[in-house]
Amino acid sequence: MVDFFSTLSPVMQGLLATIFTWGGMTALGGATLVFTTKTMNQKLMDGMLGFAGGVMIAASFWSLLSPAIEMADSDALPAWLPASIGFILGGLFLWAVDKVIPHVHPTAKMDSAEGIRPDRRRRSTLLVLAITLHNIPEGLAIGVAFGAVAAGFPSASLAAAVTLAIGIGIQNFPEGTAVSMPLRREGMSRMKSFMYGQFSGIVEPIAAVIGVLAVTLIEPLLPFALSFAAGAMIFVVTEEVIPGSQENGNKDLASMCLMIGFTVMMILDVALG
């Protein structure tokens, strides 16, 4: 797989990687339970969300923050400064977007919808917007990782970028389920539930292309961009994924699955990256 990616341009690399995470894993997650079951197993969903949270936390450090610190080590500024600034800005960006875009989290009720005038939209639309919002940093992270390889930074490798895409693809599986199953539970047809679920990931290829172009055109931004994507992903994990996995009483299960997800992503990144 790595050999195949090495023959492509950075933009095409990021695009294909996020087509896998979106069209492959998000769609597969939305289809698997929607077309095979009538009801959602809450323990399974909470475990999957916990696993996804662990993958995202591990990816944020091993694939984004750590390389950002290594890249900044050769600059005049302290190595920790670009990573710190980018990390905080990533979280602030998601926080600001969270306040503007109307959305409701899959595990929440309509009266807890966020954003500007969410009451004027249907719940199905708000659910899709919530997952779409959370897919932005994932696509950006993949794009920035491939952009780092194209920029020729020693701490960036094509294998690590591909591994990041695989990890994000794994955690996209429960995300597709998280939006499709609630829609199905509310009476929407199987096909519509599936289509809404996979549509939520369409933003990932767009964000990936933006990430690749940004860091290849302005290389000094790379440590900031990597840590920015990490901060945005950690905001999503702490604001939605972890709370959503534990609010139904399955805290121990969700916590253990989070640790398993972290371990799986760490192994992938260290062994393959």
Side-chain angles (χ1 to χ4, degrees), residues 71-237:
M71 291 173 190
D73 199 30
S74 59
D75 295 338
L77 295 173
W80 51 265
L81 187 60
S84 300
I85 293 174
F87 186 79
I88 296 298
L89 288 178
L92 287 174
F93 170 75
L94 257 290
W95 172 81
V97 174
D98 219 35
K99 298 300 180 185
V100 174
I101 296 179
H103 64 282
V104 62
H105 300 301
T107 58
K109 298 179 180 179
M110 274 298 292
D111 57 9
S112 62
E114 304 174 42
I116 297 176
R117 296 180 177 178
D119 55 310
R120 296 191 175 187
R121 298 178 184 270
R122 298 176 58 185
R123 178 176 172 82
S124 58
T125 303
L126 295 175
L127 280 169
V128 174
L129 287 173
I131 303 299
T132 300
L133 174 63
H134 294 170
N135 280 331
I136 293 174
E138 296 165 12
L140 183 64
I142 293 173
V144 169
F146 281 106
V149 177
F153 282 86
S155 58
S157 70
L158 186 58
V162 172
T163 301
L164 175 63
I166 293 173
I168 289 179
I170 291 172
Q171 69 87 33
N172 270 3
F173 184 93
E175 282 192 356
T177 304
V179 67
S180 295
M181 284 305 294
L183 294 176
R184 176 61 181 158
R185 190 174 58 233
E186 292 177 8
M188 187 174 287
S189 69
R190 293 181 188 272
M191 182 55 70
K192 282 188 176 181
S193 298
F194 164 71
M195 292 302 295
Y196 271 84
Q198 63 88 27
F199 183 74
S200 64
I202 197 172
V203 70
E204 285 194 10
I206 299 172
V209 171
I210 293 173
V212 170
L213 293 176
V215 299
T216 52
L217 295 177
I218 313 176
E219 290 186 16
L221 286 180
L222 188 51
F224 294 94
L226 285 168
S227 51
F228 181 94
M233 287 178 66
I234 291 296
F235 180 89
V236 170
V237 173

Side-chain angles (χ1 to χ4, degrees), residues 237-257:
V237 173
T238 56
E239 195 264 348
E240 166 58 17
V241 177
I242 293 178
S245 70
Q246 298 193 353
E247 65 185 11
N248 297 293
N250 297 311
K251 293 184 178 181
D252 291 342
L253 173 65
S255 297
M256 289 306 302
C257 287

